[in-house]
Amino acid sequence: IEQPTFPKITEMCVKMIRRVNDEEGIKKLVNETFQKLWFTPTPHHDKEAMTRKILNITDVVAACRDTGYDWFEQLLQNLLKSEEDASYKPVKKACTQLVDNLVEHILKYEESLSDSDNKGVNSGRLVACITTLFLFSKIRPQLMVKHAMTMQPYLTTKCSTQNDFMVICNVAKILELVVPLMEHPSETFLATIEEDLMKLIIKYGMTVVQHCVSCLGAVVNKVTQNYKFVWACFNRYYGALSKLKNQHQEDPNSTILTANKPALLRSLFTVGALCRHFDFDQEDFKGNSKVNIKDKVLELLMYFTKHSDEEVQTKAIIGLGFAFIQHPSLMFEQEVKTLYNSILSDKNCSVNLKIQVLKNLQTYLQEEDTRMQQADRDWKKVAKQEDLKEMGDISSGMSSSIMQLYLKQVLEAFFHNQSSVRHFALNVIALTLNQGLIHPVQCVPYLIAMGTDPEPSMRNKADQQLVEIDKKYAGFIHMKAVAGMKMSYQVQQAINTCPKDPVRGFRHDESSSALCSHLYSMIRGNRQHRRAFLISLLNLFDDTAKTEVNMLLYIADNLACFPYQTQEEPLFIMHHIDITLSVSGSNLLQSFKESMVKDKKKDRKPSSDEETESDSNSGSGSESEEEASKPRRLRKRVDSDSDSDEENDINSVMKCLPENSAPLIEFANVSQGILLLLMLKQHLKNLCGFSDSKIQKYSPSESAKVYDKAINRKTGVHFHPKQTLDFLRSDMANSKITEEVKRSIVKQYLDFKLLMEHLDPDEEEEDGEVSASTNARNKAITSLLGGGSPKNNAAETEDDESDGEDRGGGTSGVRRR
């Protein structure tokens, strides 16, 4: 206001105005700022101030061309609503001034455009002015009624540039809103509009056709009732389609069809667009004819969805989408269900067709929403006189049934590698949830999965939906949290561009935040829910759960990077890791021992090519079935005395290996879960700087207050489970087993055995003394995880990133001494 010529004003306005939907305080500030800046009446003599205001508003509108104009509508609505009941209405007065002056400016630009020196700049200005007028018309169409006659000639703009098309579309949108409000418009004015629109429909492309048909719909249905005019146009395109269909049936490869392809595409689109705005089954159109027009149109359009040319298929589907807005019941037809569901669920189907089907559903829901809001407003007007409280809304029942039909396929579209498909699927689900058409519980796992999308806008939208659901239905999120985590792994698998690289569970940026961190932060507030969720995740690492190794890696990544706030959270996880280790570890050693051949004389080492792993499938955890189904004795501690000493050295174990190498692979596979847990415990210990004794003293049953202290996170501690990554990258579960691999598995087995023997801490350990048992345990852990030599029982064995190439920055791989 004080420095109107400052060059960055537009940029500042754009940034401020986007926050018009923020929390109350900010919203209030934004409204007040723009009321002062734009929506305060200007004195009549101050032309300069008015021009500055107009230029500023149109600059901001032009700057937001790509991001949408919701903010402007929201701002205008807020301001006009705030003074609804006041006697003095400054905002309304300011709007009237702005609209009148914008129209003056448009006429001025029009003159300057005929002198073609600076055409580009001015045509851009012209578009911005007309767009701004459209935004005003959208909120208060009455403001534009007196200018409708001035706008009409712009429908005859010669179209050569993108800007010219923008002018025509916006003028059509303005007239659509304004003409029905005019009192006694002249016949010639209406006839001219109809003719101009018809010329545009016949001549120009999709966007223009769409807006012009929409405008024609408003003019003909609400004002002129000139149905014969529209019927003639419809028959022209419908006839062309029928003719093309017959030619195609006679000879699908005929050259006539290739030559007529542009006409075919235009006819498909225009017939659909006309059906969206006019109900041709009314007597006003078809007279006494008994023909059912909507079924005929459906049959024609369905015929072309089976065409070999994808462009024709897409246009036919667009046409169908339009027709369904006028006649939603057509979506229940079996052939339509089959078409939509097969396109959505077929993995090999073209991305364009998938997106078009999702767009059709989105447009249908948006139209329904607008219609219901309008019905609601109309109802409120009458409700004061009426005393009935019901609103017969059959259509929301209809849209609910329609969404039930297609819901599963739309949700499954989240698992697509193209972000545009995921984007439209999410839009459809958000609209469906906002209109309350389905029970939200079935969408929760899918929304959790979409919350891990690489694109921030999609993550935020999915997270927003979850927050809304959580407000209304407490406990739903927690109930579906584990299913959601598993599903998010599938989404990440689908998005993963390089199949050789294992799917990871954290963002590869400076924050290294867990992909599911929003989910965790929603659950962590409730101690009972949080614990149940963490235990369910840790149970997936159990050897009996048979979870595939990459999914375990993904979950371990998340557990390593969740936004923990109090000491209780990581301590609880470590406590449960110890319990899982003692049970699963014993089972693992036991089954490996049972598979060994006890005959000592048998010195011959099995050669690697005697047994190739044909029956194992990659990392699914159920490598050899007969091995997995052997009875296992659950033993808390492996009793070392019962094993012969020979077992303790690698060569002796190598001699005892069975000829079938399936048990070895099984061991390597199942042990990944246990290794990941060890790794995770080690990582959390380093991250939070806990000592062994602190971890051992922890008891989950203690009151929450004891461990409520905030965590003191160390920086530069990264979670890098090298062995599991190598296991997945080398695809060990499917590869041929060599002597070297066997040796490494045996060494792993022996380290494991040592670790299990010393897993439980010594009871009589003196404070400050490190017992032999603790040392042995640390040594075994270090050896298993491939770290350096352990220090005593402070936070030791910095296993992370022990491999050289990841040693990158800071203290990540270096022990803090």
Side-chain angles (χ1 to χ4, degrees):
I1 294 172
E2 286 171 16
Q3 298 188 359
T5 52
F6 185 60
K8 294 250 184 208
I9 285 185
T10 308
E11 200 182 319
M12 284 152 58
C13 288
V14 171
K15 287 206 162 87
M16 284 192 292
I17 206 160
R18 286 200 185 137
R19 313 254 336 235
V20 71
N21 281 329
D22 258 3
E23 66 257 31
E24 281 309 310
I26 295 179
K27 197 167 161 178
K28 191 163 176 267
L29 259 175
V30 172
N31 288 341
E32 284 169 5
T33 308
F34 284 100
Q35 180 158 2
K36 264 198 201 132
L37 204 58
W38 291 349
F39 298 109
T40 307
T42 314
H44 282 295
H45 57 271
D46 195 350
K47 282 278 180 234
E48 199 183 320
M50 195 69 223
T51 307
R52 265 205 313 268
K53 207 191 273 190
I54 297 271
L55 291 179
N56 181 218
I57 294 179
T58 49
D59 279 340
V60 173
V61 167
C64 293
R65 183 166 164 177
D66 301 327
T67 52
Y69 304 113
D70 302 350
W71 49 265
F72 189 89
E73 294 166 33
Q74 195 61 53
L75 177 72
L76 205 49
Q77 262 165 337
N78 293 350
L79 293 173
L80 287 165
K81 201 170 182 169
S82 64
E83 59 171 37
E84 249 172 16
D85 305 322
S87 52
Y88 174 58
K89 302 190 167 160
V91 177
K92 193 174 170 196
K93 189 174 173 192
C95 287
T96 313
Q97 275 188 347
L98 286 168
V99 167
D100 296 348
N101 278 283
L102 276 164
V103 175
E104 270 176 42
H105 272 260
I106 287 175
L107 296 171
K108 239 194 273 171
Y109 290 131
E110 188 62 19
E111 283 165 25
S112 69
L113 277 178
S114 43
D115 323 329
S116 57
D117 297 343
N118 49 1
K119 221 168 183 161
V121 180
N122 278 338
S123 73
R125 273 262 175 247
L126 183 67
V127 174
C129 281
I130 291 184
T131 309
T132 312
L133 279 178
F134 162 62
L135 294 173
F136 275 113
S137 318
K138 208 169 167 183
I139 306 299
R140 278 282 184 280
Q142 296 83 357
L143 296 170
M144 276 299 290
V145 168
K146 60 180 177 186
H147 300 297
M149 310 280 277
T150 320
M151 299 312 294
Q152 177 265 320
Y154 288 92
L155 288 176
T156 55
T157 309
K158 294 267 182 297
C159 284
S160 51
T161 64
Q162 182 60 38
N163 281 342
D164 299 336
F165 286 112
M166 297 278 292
V167 168
I168 285 189
C169 292
N170 278 314
V171 170
K173 290 195 283 191
I174 292 172
L175 291 173
E176 176 183 348
L177 294 162
V178 175
V179 173
L181 300 176
M182 292 170 73
E183 286 182 21
H184 314 301
S186 77
E187 296 291 323
T188 45
F189 167 68
L190 294 171
T192 319
I193 287 187
E194 288 180 343
E195 277 167 33
D196 291 344
L197 290 170
M198 194 57 77
K199 281 179 196 155
L200 291 166
I201 290 169
I202 291 166
K203 190 171 174 190
Y204 290 116
M206 283 203 309
T207 323
V208 175
V209 170
Q210 213 171 330
H211 292 306
C212 290
V213 171
S214 183
C215 182
L216 191 64
V219 174
V220 172
N221 288 330
K222 294 177 184 167
V223 189
T224 63
Q225 266 92 43
N226 187 354
Y227 297 121
K228 294 277 175 289
F229 184 64
V230 180
W231 180 241
C233 174
F234 171 72
N235 273 320
R236 170 181 176 168
Y237 286 110
Y238 178 80
L241 266 188
S242 301
K243 194 169 154 197
L244 288 164
K245 175 189 166 187
N246 297 335
Q247 285 173 348
H248 186 260
Q249 275 172 324
E250 283 161 24
D251 173 17
N253 304 322
S254 117
T255 47
I256 308 172
L257 283 173
T258 326
N260 284 337
K261 184 177 159 184
L264 171 61
L265 295 177
R266 173 176 286 282
S267 303
L268 286 168
F269 185 83
T270 314
V271 164
L274 287 165
C275 285
R276 171 178 178 172
H277 295 284
F278 299 98
D279 181 0
F280 290 110
D281 280 316
Q282 288 176 354
E283 236 175 75
D284 298 320
F285 287 106
K286 63 174 186 179
N288 305 328
S289 162
K290 290 279 174 283
V291 182
N292 188 329
I293 304 285
K294 70 168 191 274
D295 293 350
K296 286 277 180 208
V297 169
L298 179 69
E299 184 192 333
L300 256 184
L301 292 172
M302 285 302 294
Y303 177 80
F304 286 105
T305 58
K306 299 174 185 66
H307 199 281
S308 54
D309 183 333
E310 189 188 302
E311 213 180 334
V312 175
Q313 285 180 303
T314 310
K315 282 288 186 294
I317 290 172
I318 293 176
L320 280 174
F322 286 155
F324 295 156
I325 291 172
Q326 178 73 260
H327 305 288
S329 57
L330 293 177
M331 281 196 257
F332 295 116
E333 296 287 331
Q334 191 51 52
E335 49 180 344
V336 176
K337 283 197 290 199
T338 314
L339 172 77
Y340 269 22
N341 285 338
S342 63
I343 288 177
L344 287 175
S345 50
D346 179 5
K347 286 274 180 286
N348 308 320
C349 185
S350 116
V351 172
N352 291 339
L353 295 182
K354 272 189 204 298
I355 290 178
Q356 197 47 59
V357 168
L358 289 167
K359 273 186 183 168
N360 281 1
L361 290 169
Q362 178 184 320
T363 315
Y364 164 70
L365 289 170
Q366 283 165 338
E367 285 286 313
E368 277 301 293
D369 196 32
T370 316
R371 212 190 47 68
M372 279 158 70
Q373 283 174 4
Q374 187 54 49
D376 208 30
R377 281 195 292 273
D378 296 348
W379 171 251
K380 279 187 181 131
K381 283 177 198 162
V382 213
K384 288 172 184 150
Q385 295 102 41
E386 305 274 343
D387 153 57
L388 302 161
K389 202 64 211 106
E390 45 156 320
M391 220 183 122
D393 200 2
I394 305 144
S395 66
S396 72
M398 168 87 83
S399 38
S400 176
S401 320
I402 288 171
M403 282 323 295
Q404 304 283 2
L405 277 184
Y406 300 109
L407 182 70
K408 189 167 187 324
Q409 281 72 14
V410 174
L411 287 168
E412 294 293 327
F414 282 173
F415 305 119
H416 199 281
N417 56 1
Q418 291 280 342
S419 71
S420 44
V421 175
R422 301 196 301 275
H423 170 80
F424 284 108
L426 184 58
N427 281 355
V428 173
I429 294 303
L431 282 165
T432 310
L433 287 170
N434 292 341
Q435 293 177 32
L437 302 178
I438 51 167
H439 196 289
V441 75
Q442 48 205 341
C443 299
V444 170
Y446 292 92
L447 288 169
I448 292 172
M450 276 307 281
T452 64
D453 197 280
E455 296 194 17
S457 59
M458 300 223 260
R459 286 205 292 274
N460 297 342
K461 191 164 189 171
D463 291 348
Q464 191 55 47
Q465 293 296 328
L466 284 174
V467 171
E468 292 297 320
I469 292 174
D470 197 40
K471 271 187 210 158
K472 287 183 195 153
Y473 311 90
F476 269 14
I477 309 293
H478 153 249
M479 191 162 78
K480 294 284 182 189
V482 179
M485 285 276 290
K486 288 180 176 170
M487 218 170 253
S488 69
Y489 169 67
Q490 291 171 301
V491 167
Q492 292 305 315
Q493 258 184 324
I495 295 170
N496 190 12
T497 42
C498 176
K500 279 224 158 57
D501 275 350
V503 174
R504 300 302 302 268
F506 54 81
R507 285 209 178 86
H508 299 281
D509 54 17
E510 63 286 346
S511 67
S512 294
S513 57
L515 289 180
C516 296
S517 56
H518 180 258
L519 171 69
Y520 182 76
S521 56
M522 287 181 79
I523 292 178
R524 70 164 293 284
N526 179 325
R527 186 179 183 201
Q528 193 185 348
H529 286 177
R530 177 180 76 223
R531 287 183 159 191
F533 172 59
L534 291 173
I535 287 178
S536 314
L537 291 183
L538 291 171
N539 284 346
L540 295 172
F541 290 84
D542 191 307
D543 55 332
T544 52
K546 299 268 178 272
T547 317
E548 61 169 300
V549 176
N550 196 349
M551 189 191 270
L552 290 179
L553 170 68
Y554 176 80
I555 289 170
D557 278 341
N558 272 289
L559 284 166
C561 302
F562 273 157
Y564 304 117
Q565 291 182 6
T566 61
Q567 294 185 355
E568 204 272 340
E569 298 162 56
L571 284 169
F572 179 79
I573 294 175
M574 292 154 134
H575 175 80
H576 275 276
I577 287 179
D578 284 345
I579 296 174
T580 312
L581 282 179
S582 64
V583 177
S584 290
S586 314
N587 286 350
L588 188 62
L589 292 179
Q590 184 58 29
S591 64
F592 189 78
K593 252 186 238 167
E594 282 169 5
S595 71
M596 289 204 299
V597 184
K598 286 291 175 209
D599 184 8
K600 304 282 185 317
K601 291 171 198 139
K602 198 169 184 185
D603 261 7
R604 189 173 64 87
K605 292 180 185 173
S607 68
S608 58
D609 41 24
E610 274 173 34
E611 265 306 324
T612 56
E613 267 315 295
S614 55
D615 64 338
S616 65
N617 70 36
S618 155
S620 68
S622 52
E623 256 38 44
S624 74
E625 292 302 327
E626 65 280 10
E627 188 49 45
S629 56
K630 281 186 183 173
R632 295 171 172 178
R633 300 203 300 283
L634 296 182
R635 302 191 308 173
K636 183 76 183 156
R637 171 79 66 89
V638 180
D639 191 357
S640 49
D641 302 341
S642 66
D643 308 325
S644 62
D645 287 339
E646 285 164 55
E647 244 188 83
N648 291 338
D649 108 67
I650 294 181
N651 291 333
S652 342
V653 178
M654 289 289 282
K655 288 174 191 165
C656 297
L657 290 179
E659 301 207 354
N660 174 357
S661 52
L664 269 182
I665 291 280
E666 168 79 355
F667 174 81
N669 203 35
V670 177
S671 65
Q672 294 307 321
I674 296 179
L675 278 172
L676 278 168
L677 286 182
L678 275 171
M679 217 41 186
L680 176 63
K681 180 180 172 186
Q682 209 56 36
H683 169 78
L684 291 172
K685 191 166 145 185
N686 296 325
L687 183 72
C688 309
F690 293 138
S691 65
D692 278 2
S693 60
K694 173 136 190 161
I695 299 168
Q696 277 152 26
K697 281 178 194 152
Y698 170 79
S699 155
S701 52
E702 280 204 55
S703 81
K705 296 243 173 7
V706 183
Y707 295 106
D708 249 0
K709 292 193 191 98
I711 290 178
N712 196 357
R713 282 170 185 269
K714 306 268 190 300
T715 50
V717 178
H718 299 293
F719 183 62
H720 185 82
K722 180 177 182 302
Q723 278 169 309
T724 306
L725 290 170
D726 292 346
F727 175 85
L728 287 166
R729 285 188 185 126
S730 63
D731 194 17
M732 194 188 278
N734 286 336
S735 48
K736 215 168 183 179
I737 202 159
T738 61
E739 210 57 22
E740 195 184 330
V741 174
K742 279 187 184 175
R743 278 194 91 82
S744 68
I745 294 178
V746 169
K747 181 171 182 315
Q748 201 181 352
Y749 161 71
L750 292 172
D751 285 335
F752 237 89
K753 194 155 158 286
L754 185 66
L755 173 72
M756 294 309 293
E757 285 164 14
H758 299 290
L759 193 64
D760 295 342
D762 288 7
E763 309 306 325
E764 67 279 6
E765 204 172 295
E766 298 284 318
D767 272 350
E769 275 187 34
V770 184
S771 69
S773 161
T774 305
N775 259 338
R777 183 170 82 246
N778 290 338
K779 208 173 200 164
I781 290 178
T782 309
S783 183
L784 267 174
L785 304 180
S789 61
K791 279 190 72 193
N792 70 6
N793 104 3
E796 79 283 89
T797 51
E798 176 71 275
D799 52 85
D800 304 335
E801 317 241 347
S802 49
D803 56 333
E805 78 253 16
D806 276 282
R807 217 165 239 191
T811 55
S812 58
V814 187
R815 186 161 308 99
R816 290 180 291 284
R817 284 206 159 92

